[in-house]
Amino acid sequence: MKRKREGEGEREGGRERERESYVVTILSRSHADRNVYPSAGVLFVHVLEREYFKGEFPPYPKSGDASNDPITFNTNLMGYPDRPGWLRYIQRTPHSDGVLYGSPTAEHVGKPTIIEITAYNRRTFETARHNLVINIMSTEEFPLPYQAEFYIKNMNVEEMLASEVLGDFLGAVKNVWQPERLNAINITSALDRGGRVPLPINNLKEGVYVMVGADVPFSSCLREVESPHNQLRCSQEMEPVISCDKKFRAQFHIDWCKISLVDITKVVMVHSNRPDPGTGILPEFGEYNPPSESLKGRDYFSDFLVTLAVPSAVALVLFFILGYSMCCRREGVEKRNMQTPDIQLVHHSSIQKSTKELRNMSKNREISWPLSTLPVFNPVSGEVVPPIHPDNYETTSMPLMQTQTNLQNQITIPQQRPSGWCCRRLLHYRILSALLCVNVCVRL
């Protein structure tokens, strides 16, 4: 990245000089290559300190204020988008340092690994870059024959990578194991082993796997995990009884059911014949010959007929067949009457007439008015009181008896019919009932 030139005159007058020194100004923003020399089979940790890159970015706007710009890092193998398979990177927040860690193997010995580290200032959006050259060295101690992997429940991977914490853990293991040589081989987050992200309560941690190697066999304390009693407790999801757990408990909570003890001297190596991956470059097939510009035209009329015209014709035929069946094949009332016997039509007509007459008679039937709607009167004075009273009417003298006689201001009450009228109506009902019974018997 280019440095900001101070002064407007210098910026206007130095255009040509800037083009000539373009490469030089870019390198001024990039650190020189930094070389590290890790050993194969031993844990490698490299901290990307934010303070190391703050000098590459412009100062904070307010003089005197501490610069606390959010800075993130991007790491990749030079010429590739990602890091090597053995190298991992972690940074929790933009205000914390990044950490590169991993365990190189003997396959990487003698092959310099160049890691491009790019720092991003999230306030000014400026970048700074430098290269980290990892020269992996061989060691006679690799691999250590006895390896033990511990699962620590109360640690995150970035906490365990701190030199003080890792040193305390190795010291506790050395007190239990009593080896001559003890090295940390690898550190892996529990999330990389399929673990779940813990809930943000009670200061829960993700957990971390730490593999250490030594040159002497495992101590009796570490062998206690393999006892049948402790294996049974582990199968029942109970903590095993380990005599040396108190040496770790003060700072490290170890899940002894997940400890792994490996003796490399007894492991049978299985060599598989893997195919040669090759160079990763496709073979040469010559130049690509695109199709010529003079392409033949294509007639889409037949495709149109098959796709649209044929289904439309079939749908139209089906529409006419359905319309003819629903509209032109109906019998009609006249045809139905011609195919029906006359006696059945007469019976049906008489039943219809009788039903219609009964319905008309039921509509014309008069019923006495409800007594609750009639006016009331005082039995002593004979005064008529309407059902709805004015506001100034005294309700204490309201009579409780209701009248059934006609007065001047009352509604006309239907008069009782003479006795002969009921006899005639009863006779009429009986005649209609007999006629209906005859019609039903004839139809049966």
Side-chain angles (χ1 to χ4, degrees), residues 234-249:
C234 289
S235 63
Q236 297 175 353
E237 297 184 356
M238 300 173 61
E239 291 188 4
V241 180
I242 307 297
S243 60
C244 57
D245 180 57
K246 58 184 178 181
K247 296 184 179 180
F248 297 91
R249 181 64 62 177

Side-chain angles (χ1 to χ4, degrees), residues 145-335:
Y146 301 96
Q147 299 177 2
E149 187 177 54
F150 299 85
Y151 175 62
I152 305 175
K153 298 184 291 185
N154 65 329
M155 287 287 176
N156 288 334
V157 62
E158 71 276 6
E159 298 173 348
M160 197 66 198
L161 290 172
S163 58
E164 300 84 1
V165 179
L166 184 59
D168 293 342
F169 178 74
L170 293 178
V173 174
K174 191 172 184 178
N175 292 335
V176 174
W177 202 338
Q178 298 296 329
E180 295 182 2
R181 293 193 304 271
L182 180 69
N183 290 329
I185 298 178
N186 198 5
I187 292 181
T188 308
S189 173
L191 300 182
D192 297 335
R193 297 283 188 90
R196 300 181 62 180
V197 178
L199 296 175
I201 57 176
N202 299 330
N203 197 23
L204 295 178
K205 304 294 184 178
E206 298 173 356
V208 60
Y209 290 89
V210 181
M211 178 178 287
V212 297
D215 57 345
V216 297
F218 304 108
S219 63
S220 58
C221 174
L222 298 179
R223 290 288 186 182
E224 291 178 2
V225 182
E226 300 177 349
S227 64
H229 176 68
N230 287 330
Q231 291 295 324
L232 178 61
R233 293 179 64 89
C234 289
S235 63
Q236 297 175 353
E237 297 184 356
M238 300 173 61
E239 291 188 4
V241 180
I242 307 297
S243 60
C244 57
D245 180 57
K246 58 184 178 181
K247 296 184 179 180
F248 297 91
R249 181 64 62 177
Q251 188 175 0
F252 307 100
H253 296 172
I254 298 177
D255 188 349
W256 293 99
C257 291
K258 294 184 179 180
I259 190 173
S260 175
L261 304 177
V262 179
D263 186 356
I264 297 181
T265 59
K266 298 181 180 180
V267 175
V268 179
M269 302 300 294
V270 178
H271 298 278
S272 59
N273 296 326
R274 295 183 299 176
D276 185 13
T279 60
I281 302 175
L282 295 177
E284 183 67 27
F285 291 104
E287 296 183 357
Y288 173 69
N289 296 322
S292 60
E293 297 181 358
S294 59
L295 297 177
K296 297 181 179 180
R298 181 178 177 183
D299 186 12
Y300 291 95
F301 183 73
S302 59
D303 298 338
F304 168 77
L305 293 179
V306 174
T307 306
L308 297 178
V310 174
S312 301
V314 173
L316 187 62
V317 172
L318 295 177
F319 174 78
F320 280 115
I321 294 175
L322 182 61
Y324 175 76
S325 300
M326 297 181 63
C327 302
C328 303
R329 298 289 296 175
R330 298 184 62 181
E331 295 181 354
V333 178
E334 296 181 358
K335 185 176 181 180

Side-chain angles (χ1 to χ4, degrees), residues 72-132:
T72 59
F73 300 94
N74 183 38
T75 59
N76 63 280
L77 183 63
M78 178 175 288
Y80 294 88
D82 204 353
R83 297 174 297 276
W86 62 271
L87 189 62
R88 297 186 179 93
Y89 167 75
I90 186 171
Q91 184 185 16
R92 287 290 178 180
T93 65
H95 296 281
S96 60
D97 297 334
V99 181
L100 284 170
Y101 66 100
S103 180
T105 61
E107 299 177 356
H108 306 95
V109 174
K111 300 178 181 178
T113 303
I114 303 177
I115 303 298
E116 294 181 342
I117 301 175
T118 306
Y120 295 89
N121 189 323
R122 297 301 179 180
R123 180 180 65 86
T124 60
F125 301 100
E126 294 200 3
T127 61
R129 177 179 298 173
H130 81 275
N131 297 332
L132 178 67

Side-chain angles (χ1 to χ4, degrees), residues 34-38 44 46 132-136:
R34 189 173 183 179
N35 291 268
V36 292
Y37 299 90
F44 164 71
H46 180 75
L132 178 67
V133 182
I134 303 176
N135 302 282
I136 303 173

